[in-house]
Amino acid sequence: DAGVTQSPTHLIKTRGQHVTLRCSPISGHKSVSWYQQVLGQGPQFIFQYYEKEERGRGNFPDRFSARQFPNYSSELNVNALLLGDSALYLCASSLSAGGSTGELFFGEGSRLTVL
Amino acid sequence: QKEVEQNSGPLSVPEGAIASLNCTYSDRGSQSFFWYRQYSGKSPELIMFIYSNGDKEDGRFTAQLNKASQYVSLLIRDSQPSDSATYLCAVNAGGFKTIFGAGTRLFVKA
């Protein structure tokens, strides 16, 4: 079975632009979470979607938005890019929305560079 | 106070030794605890999870949980150079958000 797939793997944008990152979860997983990882730090929680509904949002500005589609794939959108948005964006899928079956399985990430 | 705290390291151990990685968390309601391994330039990979107080062993890895002390640890026996990576402690309080520590870098010297 395929794992979590993310696209694109690398991208370069300039300040003020918009970016869309995509994620397909493991087959059978209904939950997708998005994390931002800056070099030298742990992943920071951005969003979780479960059964196509937003179940949680981290401490990120409204420039960040996401959605989940009927096939459980997901998109993360970031508007008005800032230099500080440069990071590895990780998508993780899980069977449930959290708790005892909340093991996260990560994709390889999308590395965003903002110039 | 950070929600999940880890010593950033680096922790350096000789090949064959036991590596001990530690983590503390602030939310007493936390229910699920995870250890992820992240190689440089790669994404995190789940290696252990533990839900109950005590020890859980899986091959060369042992996770230890003490909820009263809000403390989680990971022991790696017979450390190998291939174990050199950053180890992330993660905690879930039963909801939608899993919180990660900043990670501990481990170097295993051949």
Side-chain angles (χ1 to χ4, degrees):
Chain A
D1 283 344
V4 179
T5 57
Q6 291 188 245
S7 64
T9 55
H10 295 82
L11 66 166
I12 300 173
K13 294 285 188 177
T14 57
R15 282 177 295 176
Q17 285 190 312
H18 163 89
V19 68
T20 298
L21 308 177
R22 296 178 175 83
C23 172
S24 293
I26 292 170
S27 178
H29 285 195
K30 298 180 178 180
S31 174
V32 169
S33 300
W34 287 96
Y35 286 81
Q36 180 197 65
Q37 188 174 27
V38 175
L39 193 63
Q41 297 183 18
Q44 297 296 308
F45 174 77
I46 310 176
F47 287 109
Q48 191 203 48
Y49 278 77
Y50 180 71
E51 287 283 16
K52 301 177 284 294
E53 292 187 4
E54 181 183 304
R55 296 301 181 96
R57 173 186 285 257
N59 188 25
F60 280 80
D62 292 344
R63 299 185 296 108
F64 289 76
S65 63
R67 55 180 175 168
Q68 187 176 34
F69 299 99
N71 66 352
Y72 303 110
S73 67
S74 178
E75 282 183 356
L76 175 69
N77 295 283
V78 187
N79 293 323
L81 285 167
L82 303 174
L83 296 179
D85 295 331
S86 295
L88 179 66
Y89 289 85
L90 295 163
C91 173
S93 77
S94 60
L95 276 171
S96 73
S100 62
T101 54
E103 297 91 358
L104 298 174
F105 298 90
F106 286 90
E108 289 302 311
S110 294
R111 185 164 298 281
L112 171 65
T113 301
V114 182
L115 301 176
Chain B
Q1 180 188 8
K2 291 183 180 179
E3 294 175 275
V4 179
E5 294 210 49
Q6 297 181 254
N7 187 323
S8 63
L11 172 65
S12 183
V13 300
E15 184 175 359
I18 295 175
S20 178
L21 305 163
N22 304 314
C23 170
T24 58
Y25 59 94
S26 61
D27 186 345
R28 283 198 169 274
S30 298
Q31 299 180 7
S32 309
F33 307 86
F34 308 91
W35 285 98
Y36 289 82
R37 177 176 63 200
Q38 187 172 27
Y39 291 113
S40 181
K42 299 295 186 180
S43 61
E45 171 193 16
L46 179 68
I47 54 173
M48 290 284 291
F49 59 87
I50 186 167
Y51 305 137
S52 304
N53 275 330
D55 295 358
K56 179 182 178 181
E57 187 174 317
D58 184 1
R60 296 186 296 113
F61 298 96
T62 299
Q64 299 175 317
L65 174 61
N66 184 327
K67 289 186 177 181
S69 299
Q70 295 175 246
Y71 178 89
V72 194
S73 66
L74 179 70
L75 301 178
I76 306 175
R77 291 181 299 281
D78 188 24
S79 295
Q80 301 297 310
S82 59
D83 294 326
S84 298
T86 295
Y87 288 80
L88 299 164
C89 174
V91 176
N92 184 292
F96 54 83
K97 184 166 69 171
T98 296
I99 301 169
F100 286 79
T104 298
R105 288 177 296 157
L106 172 66
F107 291 107
V108 180
K109 300 174 292 185

